[in-house]
Amino acid sequence: MTDSYLDEGFLLDKKVGVNQPKRMENCKILLANTSMDTDKIKVFGSRVRVDAVSKVAELELAEKQKMQEKVKNIVAHGCNVFINRQLIYNYPEQLFADHKVMAIEHADFEGIERLALVTGGEIVSTFGCPDKVKLGTCDVIEEIMIGEDKLLKFAGVPLGEACTIVLRGATQQILDEAERSLHDALCVLTQTVKEPRTVFGGGSAEMLMANVVRDLASTVAGKESMAVEAYAKALQMLPTIIADNGGYDSCELVAELRAAHKSGHITCGLDMQLGRVGDMQKLGITESYQVRCNRTAMISDQ
């Protein structure tokens, strides 16, 4: 995973059409969701009645002329890059190559939505009014190699914050696990932006809550005190799990952490780098307050 990196711009896992430019500068991008496969008669599932076989050829010629007109209308928008959500068949691909237009097919809905966001363009389905269509822009589109895969890189997009994280690992399982961890981190970051408050990590918040609940249990009469005490033990399990996952003696570390909190050092938590109790405030280890609230509420309901 040490070869993973953050790349500026947007990476799209697609390829450029045959005989089309592999690199384009000062790109004007037309994003579309339209059918580009009407250059041939769909014999299967259709009923065509003709007097002679030559009439079928005339129908196919008419279909090609319709496609020529459609490509002409697309080029009339002044674009030098055409990105379509659907497939682009051989004949329109050849027409785009003749016009020196880079055509990219089958950019799935998620991909083309992101492209519209980062390039500032609009997704269109009809091409009759070029003056009303907003084209996307970027400085360079080029084909690059990452490992054994070819991808398209959109550099210099209007949305300057757009970037791509490239994960590289030895096996697919490692990559899947890294992707899940990265997704979780981005979700936490999103919640933190919405709710900027944070709490100390390393099991500090859970130990603080566990001590308060344990003190409360001593004031509750009857069998309910046992339930309250059990809830305090459940809260204390998180620092125990953190220590176990780090390969340390959880009994010793949790006992030290509990003693530190009882002594008034409520910012203490588990430092997994050194395997000891540390000051989370000095170490800068924090967690999202919103995520912590949601997680505590969820386990409390269960």
Side-chain angles (χ1 to χ4, degrees):
M1 297 302 298
T2 56
D3 292 334
S4 302
Y5 61 93
L6 179 67
D7 197 346
E8 295 182 358
F10 184 84
L11 294 181
L12 185 66
D13 189 11
K14 298 296 174 183
K15 296 181 181 179
V16 180
V18 180
N19 297 326
Q20 295 176 2
K22 305 298 182 184
R23 176 185 172 89
M24 187 72 70
E25 298 182 356
N26 299 321
C27 304
K28 297 180 180 179
I29 307 169
L30 179 61
L31 303 168
N33 181 15
T34 185
S35 174
M36 299 296 292
D37 58 354
T38 56
D39 58 314
K40 294 182 179 181
I41 292 292
K42 309 299 187 301
V43 177
F44 298 104
S46 301
R47 178 177 295 178
V48 180
R49 292 183 178 181
V50 293
D51 298 333
V53 178
S54 59
K55 296 294 182 66
V56 177
E58 293 179 7
L59 288 173
E60 290 188 350
L61 180 61
E63 290 289 334
K64 285 190 174 183
Q65 291 175 348
K66 286 173 57 180
M67 181 55 65
Q68 287 178 355
E69 188 67 24
K70 191 171 187 178
V71 172
K72 182 179 178 181
N73 291 337
I74 292 173
V75 176
H77 286 70
C79 63
N80 53 11
V81 179
F82 176 70
I83 303 177
N84 191 29
R85 180 174 180 261
Q86 303 181 40
L87 291 173
I88 301 177
Y89 274 37
N90 295 338
Y91 183 64
E93 186 177 71
Q94 175 188 339
L95 295 177
F96 282 121
D98 294 340
H99 287 89
K100 305 299 182 183
V101 173
M102 178 188 290
I104 303 169
E105 67 173 1
H106 216 209
D108 54 24
F109 193 76
E110 184 179 358
I112 205 166
E113 284 283 346
R114 291 179 178 175
L115 277 174
L117 178 64
V118 300
T119 61
E122 296 177 349
I123 303 174
V124 297
S125 298
T126 58
F127 312 99
C129 302
D131 55 326
K132 296 182 180 180
V133 176
K134 183 179 179 182
L135 299 178
T137 58
C138 73
D139 294 340
V140 179
I141 298 178
E142 58 183 344
E143 196 172 66
I144 62 173
M145 288 282 294
I146 298 179
E148 298 179 354
D149 300 323
K150 290 184 178 180
L151 300 96
L152 293 176
K153 180 179 179 180
F154 294 73
V157 294
L159 187 63
E161 299 87 353
C163 57
T164 303
I165 299 175
V166 180
L167 298 176
R168 305 195 66 182
T171 63
Q172 186 63 41
Q173 289 78 9
I174 293 177
L175 290 176
D176 292 341
E177 186 62 32
E179 183 179 0
R180 284 192 292 270
S181 300
L182 183 62
H183 177 269
D184 293 343
L186 291 175
C187 290
V188 171
L189 181 61
T190 302
Q191 292 294 329
T192 306
V193 170
K194 295 178 181 178
E195 172 55 79
R197 289 183 292 176
T198 58
V199 296
F200 294 117
S204 174
E206 285 76 12
M207 184 58 70
L208 181 61
M209 289 188 290
N211 288 336
V212 173
V213 173
R214 190 175 288 107
D215 293 340
L216 178 64
S218 62
T219 64
V220 177
K223 294 182 179 180
E224 292 183 358
S225 63
M226 300 178 63
V228 178
E229 182 69 25
Y231 185 70
K233 291 181 179 179
L235 288 171
Q236 191 176 299
M237 282 303 298
L238 185 69
T240 303
I241 294 172
I242 293 175
D244 288 338
N245 289 343
Y248 298 107
D249 187 349
S250 59
C251 295
E252 181 179 354
L253 286 178
V254 172
E256 292 179 5
L257 181 59
R258 183 168 57 247
H261 275 252
K262 284 294 185 180
S263 301
H265 302 95
I266 60 175
T267 61
C268 285
L270 299 182
D271 181 2
M272 288 293 95
Q273 293 289 340
L274 302 176
R276 66 186 184 188
V277 175
D279 191 337
M280 299 293 101
Q281 187 172 12
K282 293 181 180 179
L283 295 173
I285 300 176
T286 59
E287 296 183 33
S288 169
Y289 169 78
Q290 186 64 45
V291 173
R292 172 63 60 198
C293 286
N294 293 341
R295 186 161 57 191
T296 304
M298 181 181 66
I299 61 176
S300 299
D301 290 341
Q302 291 178 348

